[in-house]
Amino acid sequence: MIAPLPPRFIVAEDPDAPPPGLGGAVVAIGNFDGVHRGHQAVIARARALAAELGRPTAVLTFEPHPADYFAGGPTIFRITPPAAKALALSRLGTVDGMVVRSFDAGFAALGAEAFVADILVRRLGIAAAVVGYDFHFGKGRSGTPAFLAEAGLRHGFAVAIIDKIVADAQGDLAAVSSTAIRRALEAGDVARAATLLGRHHFVLGPVVHGEKLGRTLGFPTANLRLDPAAKLAHGIYAVRVRTAAGTFDGVASYGRRPTFDNGAPLLESFLFDFSGDLYGQDIEVDFVAWIRGEEKFASAEALMARMTVDADEARGLLAGTGPAR
């Protein structure tokens, strides 16, 4: 993994008992897709409570996304699939670990009381739960924040219900939501997405073989296949790419290559000042700026000329913007 999780950051999937290092944790509960500024504000409240109690801080999240489970397949454009979510949480520096609970038929059938008794008490042994004012859980979303608070009294854990947080250190949070970030990414507005996220949007994955068209054109690329439900706008981006060999500025194309084959969407990143073989290696691509939409060119030569212009524009956009976060 090119961006390894900190050694002390714990990821536990479907634990049957409190994971070592997260026993008695203060747990923020939710999907947290994006780990955006609003999520970060909730997690900061959980961290503050954990500090008061002398406990670790954890996030409890669910996979697949409940909407995908009920739809029978991937339909939600995930801002942070599981690996990216873990990395984003670890980079906050305030979370000790992430617990992932499989959202399957058995879990979907759990009533609100069973969720509390089996998941929060028996499997996690929480000291406190932190949830938003609109949090619902259990079969048919029957569990409410008020129910959770009452259950906490019976089971011996604290409950903090967070009212809508209207601002953080960066300003107004009224527009911050996972839905708003997805819309920005669908429009190619990665600058807007970064404002809402509090960081650049990024994707992770292993480098796969393509048709080697970039190499033929003089722009060898490192290629990633994104989730089929990804709706990132097809186009050209200024990017930073983290590899095992270091972090490199670059220019990337996401789309179907209409000049050639109009095939399945592929993210193709050309790394400046890099030479080497990345096939099979995991990389991280940070989207720093939008350059233009995907186009069909009359010839390979016309595309090559435009790619040179795109690369120069990407260099200019990336100059002075600092390293990838």
Side-chain angles (χ1 to χ4, degrees), residues 36-38 40 92 166-173 176 193-199 325:
H36 58 58
R37 286 168 50 208
Q40 292 167 31
L92 295 178
V166 298
D168 65 359
Q170 297 181 56
D172 189 8
L173 284 171
V176 177
T195 297
L196 301 175
L197 286 164
R199 65 169 194 284
R325 292 179 61 185

Side-chain angles (χ1 to χ4, degrees), residues 156-324:
F157 61 84
V159 175
I161 301 169
I162 307 301
D163 290 334
K164 188 171 185 178
I165 300 173
V166 298
D168 65 359
Q170 297 181 56
D172 189 8
L173 284 171
V176 177
S177 69
S178 298
T179 298
I181 294 163
R182 292 186 191 107
R183 288 174 179 164
L185 295 173
E186 289 169 14
D189 193 349
V190 292
R192 173 66 172 163
T195 297
L196 301 175
L197 286 164
R199 65 169 194 284
H200 297 309
H201 174 60
F202 68 88
V203 296
L204 304 170
V207 175
V208 300
H209 288 275
E211 299 300 322
K212 297 186 172 57
L213 294 172
R215 188 174 303 277
T216 301
L217 298 173
F219 291 87
T221 58
N223 305 323
L224 299 184
R225 296 199 185 279
L226 305 190
D227 188 282
K231 296 179 182 176
L232 179 69
H234 290 185
I236 312 302
Y237 297 87
V239 297
R240 283 204 171 87
V241 183
R242 195 189 304 265
T243 77
T247 300
F248 299 86
D249 287 354
V251 61
S253 170
Y254 180 60
R256 297 181 178 275
R257 305 162 304 283
T259 303
F260 297 104
D261 61 355
N262 207 35
L266 189 68
L267 177 64
E268 302 169 278
S269 300
F270 172 61
L271 284 59
F272 303 149
D273 308 314
F274 173 82
S275 62
D277 184 355
L278 294 172
Y279 290 120
Q281 297 183 31
D282 287 332
I283 65 172
E284 172 187 336
V285 180
D286 288 26
F287 295 87
V288 179
W290 167 263
I291 294 177
R292 63 174 175 86
E294 186 174 47
E295 299 177 42
K296 182 175 181 178
F297 290 85
S299 66
E301 291 73 21
L303 174 58
M304 288 172 62
R306 185 54 193 264
M307 289 169 68
T308 299
V309 172
D310 293 338
D312 288 343
E313 184 170 349
R315 287 182 187 272
L317 290 166
L318 293 163
T321 57

Side-chain angles (χ1 to χ4, degrees), residues 2-68:
I2 46 78
L5 297 174
R8 295 184 179 179
F9 188 84
I10 299 161
V11 177
E13 298 182 7
D14 292 325
D16 194 51
L22 296 182
V26 173
V27 178
I29 308 173
N31 286 313
F32 297 108
D33 187 29
V35 194
H36 58 58
R37 286 168 50 208
H39 296 148
Q40 292 167 31
V42 172
I43 292 167
R45 299 285 183 89
R47 181 64 173 183
L49 178 56
E52 291 177 17
L53 299 176
R55 302 284 189 165
T57 307
V59 166
L60 171 60
T61 188
F62 312 98
E63 292 294 339
H65 193 289
D68 285 346

